[in-house]
Amino acid sequence: MSNSTVLNRTVPKAESNEPDASEPVLHASIYEELITGKIVPGVGLSTRGLALEMGVSQMPVRDALSRLAAEGAVEIRSKRRIEVPAMNADRFTDLLECRLMLEPKAAVLALPQITPARLKHLREVDAAIDAAMENGDVVAYMEGNFAFHFGLYRANERPTLNRLIEALWLQFGPFMRVVYGRFGTANLVDQHRIALEAIEANDAAALERAIASDIADGMGLIGRSTWPNTEGGGA
């Protein structure tokens, strides 16, 4: 994937008296690309290239990438070169175990707040995910998967918990894009359907199991032995 295809959004140029006005927009744009796996591990991000592509100076780009580095999403190799960290077995296991600790709990906390309108929306998102799986559309699957999980979690009104989960997805998303691209999505069990049934039945235990199983299914696509136990091991 070339830098020219990573981001295609236009960021409003900052006024001269507001040099960093575009940084939040840049951060949000790159954030979305990472969390839905459009930027994959090992792909370099050039501050100069991103600045030219987004129509801004390099300063807000560096600021946005510095924030993402603090969140563990990218590694700054030099002033002009930033990369998504490569995955290894230890990091993969750590991220998945953190997800298993936090996400089922977030879903259960959201359950009392799921209105009929939100449930309807989640069903629509799940239908779009089903279509993406049938068509082998990995990008649409990743986008729908994110929309489903956070459409559920954000009902819990626990912003700190949800930000912790988002930080995990920032690191996990690029890796899972590689995994789904390699192994496909056709053999995934539709745990979202089971989660929706649990929501409709107001069954917290079933919902917790469904979300935990959904996370574990991603792990089951590959064995841990695929990844070397050293930093810098790649796909």
Side-chain angles (χ1 to χ4, degrees):
M1 181 185 300
S2 67
N3 283 335
S4 62
T5 60
V6 169
L7 299 170
N8 57 12
R9 292 171 173 76
T10 300
V11 175
K13 293 184 179 180
E15 298 296 334
S16 59
N17 62 341
E18 296 181 13
D20 295 323
S22 59
E23 188 275 333
V25 182
L26 278 164
H27 177 272
S29 183
I30 302 171
Y31 172 100
E32 181 182 345
E33 301 289 329
L34 288 163
I35 212 164
T36 57
K38 295 188 181 79
I39 302 174
V40 297
V43 171
L45 300 172
S46 163
T47 56
R48 183 174 181 274
L50 287 173
L52 288 171
E53 185 174 340
M54 306 295 281
V56 297
S57 69
Q58 292 189 53
M59 181 63 73
V61 173
R62 283 195 292 266
D63 289 345
L65 291 171
S66 293
R67 284 181 61 190
L68 290 164
E71 292 166 331
V74 298
E75 291 179 347
I76 298 177
R77 301 289 187 180
S78 69
K79 289 183 178 180
R80 293 183 175 84
R81 192 69 177 177
I82 296 92
E83 291 184 356
V84 175
M87 187 58 67
N88 60 55
D90 291 338
R91 182 165 176 254
F92 179 45
T93 300
D94 186 36
L95 290 170
L96 280 165
E97 289 180 351
C98 287
R99 289 189 68 199
L100 287 168
M101 284 190 286
L102 296 178
E103 294 186 44
K105 179 68 171 177
V108 170
L109 289 170
L111 182 57
Q113 311 301 326
I114 301 296
T115 62
R118 187 179 289 265
L119 180 57
K120 179 176 182 291
H121 174 69
L122 290 172
R123 291 191 185 281
E124 291 170 351
V125 172
D126 189 48
I129 293 172
D130 289 344
M133 291 171 68
E134 290 176 5
N135 296 328
D137 188 338
V138 175
V139 171
Y141 174 82
M142 291 286 294
E143 291 175 342
N145 193 45
F146 173 78
F148 183 91
H149 280 264
F150 285 91
L152 171 59
Y153 303 155
R154 286 171 179 159
N156 62 29
E157 300 179 351
R158 300 292 184 94
T160 301
L161 174 59
N162 294 334
R163 281 195 296 269
L164 290 171
I165 295 170
E166 287 183 21
L168 296 173
W169 277 60
L170 271 175
Q171 300 176 65
F172 196 80
F175 167 65
M176 288 312 298
R177 171 65 178 83
V178 174
V179 173
Y180 292 139
R182 182 183 299 170
F183 295 97
T185 59
N187 295 321
L188 292 174
V189 177
D190 189 1
Q191 298 292 348
H192 292 173
R193 177 184 57 79
I194 298 171
L196 289 168
E197 291 173 354
I199 292 170
E200 189 167 26
N202 198 33
D203 188 335
L207 177 59
E208 186 172 16
R209 288 193 301 271
I211 296 300
S213 296
D214 188 51
I215 295 167
D217 283 350
M219 182 178 182
L221 286 176
I222 64 170
R224 296 179 184 180
S225 60
T226 300
W227 304 99
N229 286 305
T230 57
E231 289 296 329

